[in-house]
Structure formats: C-alpha cells, structure tokens
C-alpha cells in the first residue's frame, strides 16, 4: 500500500541539478525521488537511477504553506499536477479548508491510506520558530502550525511524522528554546493531544 505525504514546507525541495538556480542539494530531495523529475544524479546517488529505486508518485504528496519556490520548481509542480497550497491559499481559504482539501486529495483513492507528516519547522513564521537555517517571513502562525498536526491526528490515517529543519545552534537561547518547545508541541498534537 502506497502512503501519502503531507507537509508544511516553505520550500518545495523538488529542484534538480539541471534546474536549480543555487545548486544547493538540500533543495533537491523530492526532485530525486519524484517519478519523472530528475534525469541525472550526483555522485553517491546514482543508485536512484536504477530500475526499482524508490519513487514518489505526484499524487502522493501535498504541499501546505509554500512561500519560497524557484521558477523551475513551480513548473515541475504544475506539470506533474502536484497539489500545492501556498500561504496565499491559507490566507484565502483558511487553514481548516486547506487541510480538508489536502486530506480529501490524499485519501480520494484509498480512505485508509497511511499518511506521513514531514513538518519543516521553517514552515512556521520565524517569529515563532527562529532556530532554523532557512527562515522565511510570512509563515504559518502558531495556531495554523498546530492545526496542521491536529487535523492529521484527528483524521486517523497518520502513520509516521517527523520535524525537520530545527537547529538550535542557529538562534539565541530563547529562540532555540522556543523553537524546540514548538517542535515538541507539534509532535504531541500530531500524536493526538487536543484542547478537549
């Protein structure tokens, strides 16, 4: 059974060596794993070109809260029909409606599909999560950040979760402590902690 991936990242991370403006590898993991995207692989990752290597289908992921996307990434997302909700969409529809649409898409073919939450802490506005390496203003609010995790927990299909991009050494003590605390709170929300 193929799982689905829901994630609030500010960056799409679906670049390729050929299309990346910066050449930074940390912006390419989904580009290497997404079916039909990368045609070349850097040294050490050549095995990804082999038949039978793990691949993600474009309908298996949903981006929630994008706000810093390279032109080539925009093209890939559009060409592959990947569901992507930017901060504009969250402002327009509200986080509740965005999560409803994201989950409806991921569970359309299989209502029992297991889901993975890949939560980039830099999806949250740096006012709430400053201890990250790629902070971009205009991110999720404290409550929006929690709602994403809570919606996945309430859905009942969440099989795994991770918090990434949290680096306490990139902020002062208060910023590091606040970001760590938020990361822990988001994980407990994803595991089912609720207000009532």
């Amino acid at each position: 059974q193929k799982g689905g991936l829901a994630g609030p990242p500010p960056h799409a991370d679906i670049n390729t060596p050929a299309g990346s403006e910066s050449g930074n590898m940390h912006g390419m993991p989904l580009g290497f794993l997404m079916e039909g995207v990368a045609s070349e692989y850097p040294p050490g990752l050549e095995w990804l070109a082999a038949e039978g290597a793990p691949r993600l289908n474009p309908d298996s992921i949903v981006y929630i809260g994008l706000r810093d996307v390279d032109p080539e990434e925009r093209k890939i997302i559009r060409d592959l029909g990947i569901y992507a909700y930017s901060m504009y969409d969250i402002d327009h529809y509200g986080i509740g409606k965005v999560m409803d649409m994201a989950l409806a898409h991921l569970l359309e073919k299989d209502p029992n599909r297991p889901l993975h939450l890949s939560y980039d802490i830099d999806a949250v506005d740096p006012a709430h999560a400053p201890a990250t390496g790629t902070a971009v203003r205009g991110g999720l609010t404290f409550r929006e950040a929690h709602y994403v995790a809570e919606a996945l927990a309430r859905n009942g299909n969440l099989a795994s979760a991770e918090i990434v991009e949290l680096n306490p050494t990139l902020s002062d003590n208060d910023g590091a402590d606040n970001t760590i605390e938020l990361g822990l709170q988001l994980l407990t929300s994803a595991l089912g902690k609720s207000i009532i």
Side-chain angles (χ1 to χ4, degrees):
Q1 184 178 30
K2 292 219 177 201
L5 173 67
H11 318 281
D13 291 344
I14 199 164
N15 264 317
T16 64
S20 173
E21 293 177 358
S22 68
N24 289 328
M25 292 289 291
H26 70 265
M28 300 181 195
L30 286 174
F32 292 139
L33 292 172
M34 184 64 59
E35 193 171 294
V37 175
S39 59
E40 60 182 273
Y41 298 88
L45 295 179
E46 301 93 342
W47 61 273
L48 286 169
E51 190 171 325
R55 288 283 173 258
L56 291 170
N57 293 321
D59 70 347
S60 68
I61 71 167
V62 173
Y63 290 111
I64 300 161
L66 287 174
R67 65 184 187 278
D68 187 21
V69 183
D70 291 345
E72 184 63 23
E73 291 178 306
R74 283 188 207 110
K75 181 178 178 342
I76 292 168
I77 290 168
R78 286 186 186 124
D79 289 351
L80 295 178
I82 296 172
Y83 275 54
Y85 299 98
S86 68
M87 286 307 298
Y88 171 85
D89 298 310
I90 291 172
D91 291 342
H92 181 76
Y93 295 111
I95 192 65
K97 179 67 174 172
V98 166
M99 288 306 298
D100 289 346
M101 292 185 295
L103 289 169
H105 168 69
L106 288 170
L107 302 174
E108 180 179 16
K109 294 177 185 170
D110 179 1
N112 297 312
R113 178 187 218 178
L115 300 177
H116 173 73
L117 171 63
S118 182
Y119 211 124
D120 284 30
I121 199 71
D122 55 358
V124 182
D125 193 89
H128 305 292
T132 186
T134 49
V136 179
R137 290 179 59 190
L140 298 172
T141 66
F142 183 85
R143 273 303 309 143
E144 289 168 340
H146 277 274
Y147 192 94
V148 170
E150 291 164 357
L152 282 159
R154 283 185 178 218
N155 169 270
N157 290 60
L158 188 63
S160 58
E162 63 181 333
I163 300 283
V164 298
E165 302 284 345
L166 196 157
N167 186 342
T169 66
L170 297 177
S171 185
D172 61 22
N173 287 342
D174 287 341
D177 290 346
N178 291 340
T179 308
I180 291 167
E181 179 63 27
L182 177 60
L184 292 171
Q185 290 174 5
L186 293 173
L187 281 175
T188 58
S189 290
L191 293 172
K193 181 181 178 189
S194 63
I195 297 168
I196 296 179

